Amino acid sequence: MKKKILLKITILLGLCVSFSSVAQINNLETNLGGSYYYVDHFETVIDKPVDEVWPHVVEMSKWMPWMAADSESNKISEGDRIHLYGGFYIEVVKIIPKKMIVLANLPNVDRGEQSQGIAMVSVAEANGKTLVSIFMSRIYNWFDSKENPQRATRESSEFSDQRKATFKDNFLVKLKQLAET
């Protein structure tokens, strides 16, 4: 039963990833204010097989510094609760070895905007190479009648460029360098 549920989640996330090669912001279909979904996704191909890449993926703090768990090891574990910044925390929900890491962006309120979400780091091998993908999706609830300034920021090209610079050009480049050396 658990395998079927995980397979359904994997397929759903995979579909979301395939349609979100760039950041997307979509309104909720409700009249309760300016709530919206934010989805983005980044990937890299590493010239090594999954068996050689996976140990680096689970040592997330070596390539994504804010994923440092409160332990001696750089390796994340299911149940780890990690402080990202401000009041934002992420929890490692599930690790499927050599396949994926599922993360939960825990509920938070920042300047009146409520948010929570999911993230996934997945790996897939093809012809001795490994595709590593980071997928993130958050729901931002905004029930104030005023315009949400944080949404305007997320819709800007500067924000999109900053996300790409952080995740694709920084974190995934570091992972690629670790795995290929």
Side-chain angles (χ1 to χ4, degrees):
M1 182 65 147
K2 285 184 180 181
K3 285 185 179 183
K4 284 184 180 181
I5 292 171
L6 283 173
L7 179 61
K8 287 179 183 179
I9 291 171
T10 302
I11 290 169
L12 176 63
L13 290 173
L15 287 172
C16 291
V17 167
S18 68
F19 292 114
S20 64
S21 61
V22 295
Q24 296 178 337
I25 295 179
N26 297 313
N27 291 329
L28 271 65
E29 294 182 17
T30 178
N31 61 357
L32 293 177
S35 298
Y36 59 99
Y37 295 104
Y38 182 91
V39 177
D40 58 7
H41 153 251
F42 306 96
E43 71 280 326
T44 192
V45 175
I46 298 175
D47 292 324
K48 296 283 184 171
V50 167
D51 286 343
E52 294 179 37
V53 173
W54 183 255
H56 300 285
V57 172
V58 294
E59 289 186 328
M60 290 183 87
S61 66
K62 285 191 173 182
W63 56 277
M64 191 181 298
W66 64 34
M67 288 298 293
D70 294 331
S71 69
E72 297 291 317
S73 169
N74 288 316
K75 204 178 209 183
I76 58 164
S77 299
E78 287 182 16
D80 284 351
R81 184 178 172 159
I82 299 160
H83 181 250
L84 297 178
Y85 55 90
F88 289 90
Y89 288 85
I90 197 164
E91 185 172 320
V92 180
V93 176
K94 184 73 179 166
I95 299 174
I96 303 169
K98 300 178 186 175
K99 295 290 180 196
M100 73 171 51
I101 299 168
V102 180
L103 307 156
N105 287 242
L106 300 177
N108 185 45
V109 177
D110 181 37
R111 293 175 270 178
E113 185 179 66
Q114 302 169 17
S115 69
Q116 58 195 29
I118 59 169
M120 174 182 70
V121 178
S122 68
V123 298
E125 188 171 331
N127 302 321
K129 296 181 181 192
T130 302
L131 171 66
V132 179
S133 175
I134 299 175
F135 166 82
M136 297 163 281
S137 177
R138 288 184 80 90
I139 183 172
Y140 291 94
N141 290 311
W142 180 261
F143 301 124
D144 196 317
S145 60
K146 298 179 209 163
E147 189 172 318
N148 181 347
Q150 294 178 110
R151 178 177 177 162
T153 296
R154 286 188 192 91
E155 290 176 327
S156 72
S157 61
E158 292 84 11
F159 187 78
S160 179
D161 292 346
Q162 179 268 331
R163 298 280 293 175
K164 180 182 177 284
T166 299
F167 287 93
K168 185 168 182 71
D169 302 335
N170 183 11
F171 296 156
L172 288 175
V173 166
K174 284 181 184 174
L175 175 61
K176 184 176 175 79
Q177 289 169 343
L178 286 168
E180 290 182 350
T181 56

